[in-house]
Amino acid sequence: MCIFRNSTWSMVVVLLTAGIPLTGCKAKEEVPTVEVTVEAIAVAKQPLTEEVTSDAVLAPLAQAAITPKITAPVRQFYVQRGAKVKAGQLLAVLENRDLTAVELDNKGAYEQAQAAYATATKASVPEDYQKAEQDVAQTKANLDLQQSIYTARKSLFAQGAIPGRDLDTATAALVQAQAAYDIAAQHLASQKSVTREAAIQSAKGQLLSAEGKYQGAQAGVGYSEIHSPINGVVTDRPLFAGEIAAAGQPLLTVMEVSSLLAKTHLAQQQAQRMHIGDEAEVAAPGVDEPFKGKVTLISPALDPGSTTVEVWIKVTNSEGTLKAGTPVKVTVALQTIPDALVVPSAAIVTDSAGKKQVMVIGTDSTAHRRSVEVGISQDDKTQITKGLQPGEQVISSGAYAMDDGTKVKVGKPDEKDSGDEKPSAAKDKGKD
């Protein structure tokens, strides 16, 4: 019932007569059901690959910072920075005329020692041994002769045919012959056991000493010639010809960049699921298409500082597009499920209890919350392991904060449904 003051009764009568409704007295209207326009997708099976993505830095497959062992001026460089080189190729030569002279001197001493060794082993030692044998033979013959003379004179002396002095002379000659034979035999024995071997060893030692000095001089000359230990590209050459190259300081840097290593660190749980040879992709800044690679190393030990596992991914760089030191993004495929039940990752919401849920659209166009269990993910897709069936429709986006039982219409939400209004519309609404 509407109650009005007497003073306004006449005005009310006029309004009713004019057919103008009084909104303050209108009966309560029934609130219409709200229908929300949402995007939906049918749950389907498709191949899904679990991937691990991480930041990495490209490193050369091999690297050599070549440092000279001697300090000398650079006589000549044979390569420039950026030149491709092969293992063993001559890159630079240091000043080495003094070293060449030392090498020549030691070469002469070595050749002299070779000649002395040949003389000792083929002439001197055999001759000494032969002379010792001859001395033994001669003294043995003389001993036998003196023995026979002594025996004969002793017999004649016993018969009284010769005087005693002749026997004494024969006795003295026999003693001298015996002594000469003993000396010769002892000399021959020493030649056999000691002198011959010692003479050969002495000559051999002198030869080895001379050879060692000669090789040392050769090495000195070799140190003045800088060769590349690996195949690769010259990435650094800080000096110019004529400048002093200091021993132990890098003169040239060579990197093997035909293939590069993307080195990254991953959590232990992720690394444990990887295997040598796993396929990977390397995305570099400024390059549209990622490069294909393979896992070549999974560190057997954790990094003590970060408690992560270092992983190397080898990527071919035959055209030289990639540069060592570039930060890249690596993606490693861990496992592939050929028939995974997949929904968009945005369709999955987490409730206050931490459970995963999706909004399923029923046959009556009503959205209902349903708890699900998830598996692996790839890009913006997630595997559902429990809670959904193929063919069911789920809200692909905008399911967060939607009430259970909301009436929905499948389509693309317009600006009004999404809460976005044009400035002119908002202005008009404010006026109303």
Side-chain angles (χ1 to χ4, degrees):
M1 176 183 293
C2 296
I3 302 175
F4 300 94
R5 293 181 180 179
N6 295 331
S7 59
T8 59
W9 178 251
S10 58
M11 185 181 293
V12 172
V13 173
V14 173
L15 292 176
L16 290 175
T17 305
I20 300 174
L22 294 176
T23 57
C25 299
K26 188 176 181 181
K28 185 177 180 180
E29 297 180 355
E30 184 178 341
V31 178
T33 303
V34 178
E35 189 177 55
V36 180
T37 303
V38 297
E39 292 183 354
I41 189 171
V43 180
K45 290 185 176 182
Q46 58 180 277
L48 194 66
T49 301
E50 183 181 14
E51 298 176 337
V52 172
T53 302
S54 176
D55 294 325
V57 176
L58 293 179
L61 190 63
Q63 178 177 341
I66 307 172
T67 58
K69 294 189 68 174
I70 61 174
T71 299
V74 179
R75 181 195 297 177
Q76 185 176 0
F77 278 110
Y78 294 99
V79 292
Q80 297 289 338
R81 184 179 297 184
K84 293 184 178 180
V85 298
K86 295 182 179 180
Q89 181 177 336
L90 181 63
L91 307 181
V93 175
L94 307 182
E95 189 59 55
N96 61 1
R97 283 177 291 182
D98 55 338
L99 300 175
T100 304
V102 175
E103 179 191 16
L104 185 61
D105 180 46
N106 283 276
K107 182 180 180 181
Y110 175 57
E111 292 178 349
Q112 186 178 2
Q114 284 181 315
Y117 179 75
T119 300
T121 55
K122 297 181 180 179
S124 300
V125 173
E127 286 178 359
D128 292 342
Y129 185 76
Q130 186 177 7
K131 184 176 181 302
E133 288 181 331
Q134 291 176 354
D135 290 343
V136 170
Q138 290 176 356
T139 54
K140 183 64 170 66
N142 184 45
L143 177 61
D144 293 341
L145 176 61
Q146 295 301 326
Q147 181 67 46
S148 62
I149 292 174
Y150 171 77
T151 302
R153 288 186 178 183
K154 183 177 180 181
S155 177
L156 290 173
F157 177 75
Q159 297 174 8
I162 58 173
R165 66 175 181 273
D166 291 341
L167 179 59
D168 294 339
T169 302
T171 302
L174 177 60
V175 172
Q176 293 177 354
Q178 182 67 47
Y181 172 73
D182 291 342
I183 292 173
Q186 185 178 3
H187 180 64
L188 178 60
S190 65
Q191 282 284 341
K192 288 181 178 180
S193 61
V194 179
T195 306
R196 182 180 181 184
E197 294 298 327
I200 294 176
Q201 289 295 330
S202 176
K204 185 177 181 180
Q206 293 177 356
L207 175 61
L208 291 176
S209 177
E211 184 179 9
K213 293 178 180 178
Y214 177 49
Q215 289 180 353
Q218 283 183 316
V221 175
Y223 294 150
S224 65
E225 297 178 350
I226 309 301
H227 297 264
S228 175
I230 60 174
N231 296 328
V233 177
V234 178
T235 58
D236 192 19
R237 203 201 79 177
L239 300 180
F240 293 92
E243 294 185 302
I244 298 294
Q249 297 297 320
L251 179 63
L252 292 151
T253 301
V254 178
M255 292 183 181
E256 170 58 274
V257 293
S258 60
S259 292
L260 294 176
L261 296 174
K263 297 183 178 181
T264 185
H265 287 79
L266 299 175
Q268 184 178 1
Q269 294 81 356
Q270 294 175 326
Q272 286 177 338
R273 300 166 65 186
M274 290 185 180
H275 304 86
I276 301 297
D278 282 351
E279 299 291 337
E281 289 186 347
V282 178
V287 182
D288 296 334
E289 293 296 327
F291 293 83
K292 299 296 183 181
K294 288 188 177 181
V295 176
T296 58
L297 172 69
I298 302 173
S299 177
L302 294 179
D303 180 78
S306 60
T307 65
T308 56
V309 180
E310 186 173 14
V311 177
W312 292 3
I313 296 156
K314 183 179 180 181
V315 56
T316 303
N317 188 38
S318 56
E319 297 182 358
T321 305
L322 299 174
K323 308 298 180 185
T326 303
V328 295
K329 186 83 68 177
V330 297
T331 302
V332 182
L334 297 181
Q335 62 173 322
T336 299
I337 300 177
D339 56 351
L341 198 62
V342 176
V343 299
S345 299
I348 302 173
V349 296
T350 304
D351 63 8
S352 58
K355 295 182 179 180
K356 303 295 183 181
Q357 296 180 339
V358 295
M359 296 297 289
V360 181
I361 302 175
T363 56
D364 58 351
S365 298
T366 303
H368 298 280
R369 289 186 177 272
R370 186 182 299 178
S371 296
V372 294
E373 294 181 6
V374 299
I376 66 174
S377 297
Q378 179 185 9
D379 298 331
D380 58 348
K381 297 177 291 186
T382 300
Q383 178 195 14
I384 302 298
T385 59
K386 185 177 180 181
L388 289 178
Q389 296 296 327
E392 290 186 299
Q393 279 194 322
V394 298
I395 298 176
S396 59
S397 64
Y400 183 76
M402 181 178 289
D403 295 330
D404 187 274
T406 302
K407 295 291 289 185
V408 296
K409 179 177 66 175
V410 178
K412 187 175 181 180
D414 55 21
E415 293 179 347
K416 186 175 181 180
D417 290 337
S418 61
D420 296 332
E421 299 186 20
K422 295 182 180 179
S424 59
K427 185 175 179 180
D428 296 338
K429 182 178 180 181
K431 288 182 179 181
D432 293 339

